[in-house]
Amino acid sequence: MRLTPGATLGVLGGGQLGRMLALAAFRLGLRVHVYAEDATEPALQVTARGTVAAFDDNDALDAFAAAVNVVTLEFENVPKATVERLARKVPVRPGAAVLAVTQDRLHEKRLALELGFETAPFVALEGGALPRELVPFPARLKLRRLGYDGKGQVRVADRAALEEAWRSLGGLPAILESEIAFRRELSVLVAGRPQGEVVCFPPAENHHVDGILSETRAPAAIAPETASRATAIAERLADALALEGLLAVELFEAEDGTLLINELAPRPHNSGHWTIEGCLPDQFEQTIRAVCDWPLGRPRAIARCRMVNLLGDAVLDTERWLREPGARLHLYGKEERRPGRKLGHATVVEPLA
Ligand code: ATP
Ligand code: MG
């Protein structure tokens, strides 16, 4: 089903990604209805239509489905039952099959290997007993489900530290993966339209501090050959998933140049914020085009950008960014300031030479 301007886009999740998605949707003449679990969430501040309810509130879900023409999500951990219930009444893009993979790190890694791509060496941990064969240490122990911004994972120096580390994560199903001495971290965003058209954004280079994205530089200053290998991986994943919407693919470029798939996110991504100023179309518009089944844009970088996340108290430093030549400040309207919480970002824009 293809949407016409004036239709209503439903967004599951009320965070900053939903807020920026809504702002892009308004520019394209859409109405937006946000479904969020908490009344203080940032996307609700910019939309006239909103539902505040739990993801398992069936009456609220049915009313939401009746009020919108298509549903997308800004948060991939929406329960499967929620998506399936909505999907009986309205298209949900990306759908349950994509979420089944991207909600579980083990499924993501298995898909990567099935397609002939590489990941860090890993083993799955499940059910109490440790497997005999582990992976080279140091390693990262990561819960299979529900991790973000470095939460739900711990660094493990050696085998002796593993049991305690796993206990600290509640002994839930996890994967243990070797730490990669990467040359750089890259991410590629890819959009897929219901009939199968697939288009990538130029890769971005990311710097994390304590497991949280700190800065993105884009387009990444990498050889064209590396960029085309990265985009080929993203396109193949989008095809394999029959992607309807946007997918972010996080990659490690190993010292020998191999690209390893780290993880996937089926939604706009923090490392794509640079596209708001630096690329036409931006990631939010492209998501909307994909889920409305409109022609996808052919992303073209129009500037070189440095995107800086404003985490916790860094958000108090607004003056610095307001004074910085060529910078644009984005604040998310979050009420509570906590260390490490994403409260805004600034993008410093330099026109392409
Ligand atoms: P986010 O939601 O912010 O993307 P996340 O909590 O889902 O993060 P990961 O992407 O798995 O977690 O890890 C966060 C960061 O930690 C990575 O971007 C990378 O900098 C570092 N990291 C994770 N796994 C490894 C690894 N195997 N080797 C080296 N560094 C790693
Ligand atoms: Mg990540």
Side-chain angles (χ1 to χ4, degrees):
M1 189 204 38
R2 188 179 296 186
L3 265 73
T4 48
T8 302
L9 174 71
V11 180
L12 291 171
Q16 67 269 19
L17 301 173
R19 177 178 170 114
M20 290 183 268
L21 200 53
L23 296 174
F26 297 143
R27 208 176 50 233
L28 289 165
L30 294 167
R31 293 155 201 262
V32 178
H33 187 132
V34 166
Y35 191 112
E37 290 193 293
D38 188 298
T40 64
E41 290 188 60
L44 290 168
Q45 295 166 11
V46 303
T47 52
R49 296 151 195 236
T51 299
V52 179
F55 284 130
D56 62 0
D57 181 335
N58 287 338
D59 292 339
L61 289 171
D62 292 347
F64 175 66
V68 302
N69 301 102
V70 66
V71 172
T72 190
L73 42 105
E74 61 102 53
F75 165 72
E76 65 268 40
N77 292 311
V78 178
K80 183 167 173 256
T82 303
V83 171
E84 285 171 350
R85 187 174 185 99
L86 292 171
R88 286 199 284 273
K89 303 199 166 107
V90 63
V92 180
R93 296 173 179 156
V98 173
L99 295 181
V101 174
T102 56
Q103 288 180 348
D104 187 325
R105 290 183 190 276
L106 182 61
H107 294 165
E108 291 179 354
K109 285 195 157 44
R110 286 197 175 139
L111 174 66
L113 298 182
E114 263 166 39
L115 296 176
F117 299 130
E118 297 195 43
T119 66
F122 70 93
V123 285
L125 303 191
E126 208 159 359
L130 291 178
R132 199 192 305 261
E133 297 278 321
L134 294 174
V135 293
F137 288 91
R140 303 279 174 123
L141 181 64
K142 304 181 178 181
L143 291 181
R144 280 171 54 180
R145 306 178 72 89
L146 297 174
Y148 72 98
D149 289 350
K151 296 184 177 62
Q153 62 173 280
V154 281
R155 187 165 190 268
V156 186
D158 52 29
R159 188 180 181 115
L162 181 56
E163 284 202 41
E164 176 51 32
W166 197 12
R167 253 198 307 280
S168 78
L169 295 179
L172 294 168
I175 56 168
L176 180 72
E177 66 180 60
S178 293
E179 209 163 86
I180 300 299
F182 50 75
R183 189 186 290 166
R184 49 171 91 82
E185 290 195 75
L186 299 171
S187 58
V188 183
L189 297 165
V190 58
R193 196 179 165 185
Q195 294 310 316
E197 184 189 4
V198 154
V199 182
C200 280
F201 280 82
E205 177 170 352
N206 301 313
H207 296 272
H208 290 79
V209 176
D210 298 331
I212 307 180
L213 182 65
S214 166
E215 272 195 39
T216 294
R217 287 172 189 264
I222 52 178
E225 179 273 331
T226 309
S228 52
R229 273 189 295 134
T231 53
I233 290 171
E235 286 170 4
R236 182 74 189 89
L237 284 164
D239 273 337
L241 289 166
L243 176 70
E244 300 179 347
L246 196 75
L247 179 77
V249 181
E250 297 180 13
L251 301 163
F252 299 134
E253 183 187 348
E255 287 297 350
D256 68 358
T258 310
L259 295 177
L260 309 176
I261 296 177
N262 175 31
E263 62 167 354
L264 312 177
R267 51 164 171 78
H269 194 256
N270 193 171
S271 71
H273 291 352
W274 71 276
T275 60
I276 297 173
E277 287 80 20
C279 190
L280 291 172
D282 67 57
Q283 65 163 346
F284 297 101
E285 177 173 332
Q286 189 79 317
T287 304
I288 290 158
R289 291 182 185 223
V291 304
C292 291
D293 198 10
W294 295 343
L296 296 178
R298 307 276 137 189
R300 179 185 294 168
I302 53 172
R304 199 165 289 294
C305 296
R306 181 167 77 95
M307 189 286 309
V308 181
N309 268 340
L310 303 179
L311 306 172
D313 286 347
V315 79
L316 300 175
D317 212 5
T318 50
E319 287 231 352
R320 170 183 167 198
W321 296 107
L322 293 171
R323 288 180 201 285
E324 173 99 18
R328 179 181 270 165
L329 179 64
H330 296 252
L331 298 175
Y332 304 151
K334 292 186 183 174
E335 289 172 13
E336 202 187 329
R337 207 172 64 237
R338 285 194 303 270
R341 190 170 194 216
K342 291 175 179 171
L343 299 172
H345 72 268
T347 303
V348 184
V349 181
E350 255 178 62
L352 286 180

